[in-house]
Amino acid sequence: MSDIHAGSSDAEVHGQSAHAGHPGAREYVRIFFILAAITSIEVAIYYVREDMGGWFLPALFSLMIAKFAIVVLWYMHLKFDDRRFSRFFVMGLAGAATLYLVVLISLRVFLD
Amino acid sequence: MADAALQGRDEHETTTGLPHTKLAMWLFLSSECLLFGALITTYVLYRGASTKGPFPADIFDIGYTSVSSFVLLASSLTMVLSLGAAQKRDFMRMRLWLVTTALLGMTFVGGQVYEFTAFYREGLAITTNLFGTTFFVLTGFHGVHVTVGILMLLSLTGMSFADRLPEDPAFPVEMVGLYWHFVDIVWIIIFTVVYLIPTGPVGK
């Protein structure tokens, strides 16, 4: 595989594959409205948190993860790009999440 | 290739089939996860540990910060629209969306400066309590990242006007876009963890 591309420039390689399957402007706008709707729900949840009881934090974190995933997959194109880019990013993200979760657990943050 | 080298453009060879610059950008963003992870963890670690106010619940204006969040989300939209225009080599629209993204970024940073000033007037400085220290360091670092992103957007626009972008301008626009969207996803986490989960005095 590498032989095929040896000697090609970044821009050439990018031009060959990068735009394939990227969403169009209409889909980008649709995704923005989805993100805006999720943000509105987050803010609404904040104001009714007393009534939500134990569901407040799980609901808030679920919406946060959904927004994060939508931006990374669609706006940052990880859904359409080569999987090796995803691996690079997930490696850092998972590493950071694991490291800091261990720190918080070892300092008993979730027990207080 | 020789022409590009003469013009000082970034034309590295690739042996992986992937653009090395883009690979490096993802690696950089991956390392940024560690930086912001440390700052967010520190904030969570000291959440509710301040013995004197002001506390988050006393000073946060969720309505105001929500508007800032919408502004940053909108800037992510204009950034991808700029990339779409760059892919079609529609330079006019690409510049228009790049400048719009920079203006939205400036609005966000301006809002953050206003918020910091308001908090300071209400008695919260970086040395006031643990909340002040962790809050200003975390959101301040994010604000610096947004500012760097604005400079990158304006540089890209300036290079476009000076005809110093490659023939296919989509590549540099996508690289700046990746950085910009990363700044947006960091804010998605900060908005939830810092602003929407209220914290009062110790134990509350």
Side-chain angles (χ1 to χ4, degrees):
Chain A
M1 181 175 66
S2 61
D3 289 346
I4 297 168
H5 299 284
S8 304
S9 71
D10 271 7
E12 284 166 357
V13 175
H14 178 262
Q16 286 161 14
S17 60
H19 312 323
H22 280 196
R26 191 170 292 181
E27 186 160 359
Y28 284 138
V29 173
R30 199 169 60 87
I31 290 162
F32 168 73
F33 282 115
I34 292 170
L35 290 169
I38 295 174
T39 307
S40 303
I41 295 168
E42 280 182 323
V43 176
I45 282 176
Y46 170 82
Y47 287 109
V48 296
R49 62 187 182 279
E50 304 287 330
D51 304 324
M52 291 191 70
W55 288 102
F56 173 62
L57 286 181
L60 213 52
F61 279 110
S62 303
L63 293 169
M64 180 191 81
I65 291 166
K67 276 168 70 182
F68 185 100
I70 290 169
V71 173
V72 169
L73 292 174
W74 271 273
Y75 281 179
M76 295 173 91
H77 302 125
L78 276 190
K79 184 175 159 55
F80 312 99
D81 278 353
D82 193 287
R83 284 188 181 275
R84 282 171 282 180
F85 293 124
S86 305
R87 286 186 200 132
F88 262 60
F89 185 59
V90 169
M91 183 179 68
L93 188 65
T98 307
L99 173 66
Y100 298 123
L101 213 54
V102 168
V103 169
L104 290 174
I105 290 168
S106 64
L107 292 171
R108 305 170 70 84
V109 167
F110 301 115
L111 296 176
D112 295 334
Chain B
M1 185 91 165
D3 285 352
L6 282 172
Q7 291 172 41
R9 287 174 186 163
D10 188 19
E11 295 277 340
H12 300 293
E13 289 188 351
T14 176
T15 51
T16 59
L18 299 174
H20 285 175
T21 310
K22 191 168 174 178
L23 218 48
M25 177 55 88
W26 275 111
L27 196 60
F28 167 68
L29 297 180
S30 184
S31 72
E32 286 276 277
C33 290
L34 285 160
L35 169 73
F36 279 104
L39 297 173
I40 293 167
T41 302
T42 309
Y43 181 86
V44 172
L45 199 56
Y46 291 112
R47 170 187 292 279
S50 297
T51 51
K52 61 169 184 166
F55 304 105
D58 302 331
I59 58 168
F60 282 163
D61 182 347
I62 298 302
Y64 179 82
T65 315
S66 303
V67 173
S68 292
S69 298
F70 280 114
V71 167
L72 207 56
L73 276 180
S75 77
S76 264
L77 170 65
T78 55
M79 189 70 237
V80 281
L81 291 176
S82 164
L83 176 62
Q87 286 167 348
K88 291 175 187 164
R89 301 189 188 196
D90 183 346
F91 286 88
M92 277 301 290
R93 279 179 196 237
M94 180 192 82
R95 289 168 190 152
L96 174 73
W97 290 125
L98 281 176
V99 170
T100 308
T101 309
L103 287 173
L104 288 167
M106 286 178 205
T107 307
F108 177 84
V109 172
Q112 199 171 36
V113 169
Y114 173 79
E115 185 186 47
F116 281 11
T117 310
F119 288 176
Y120 185 76
R121 285 189 183 141
E122 289 184 43
L124 184 73
I126 196 164
T127 54
T128 304
N129 55 20
L130 282 169
F131 162 59
T133 307
T134 52
F135 171 80
F136 281 119
V137 171
L138 170 57
T139 53
F141 258 97
H142 180 264
V144 168
H145 275 72
V146 178
T147 307
V148 170
I150 292 166
L151 293 175
M152 288 162 80
L153 289 165
L154 294 177
S155 302
L156 211 53
T157 311
M159 285 171 72
S160 167
F161 276 112
D163 202 21
R164 290 184 61 194
L165 287 181
E167 198 178 318
D168 177 11
F171 189 61
V173 173
E174 187 178 9
M175 292 307 100
V176 173
L178 285 177
Y179 177 84
W180 191 260
H181 297 308
F182 179 78
V183 166
D184 188 21
I185 57 174
V186 170
W187 184 255
I188 286 172
I189 297 172
I190 292 176
F191 182 59
T192 302
V193 173
V194 175
Y195 288 90
L196 295 181
I197 302 174
T199 316
V202 177
K204 290 192 179 176

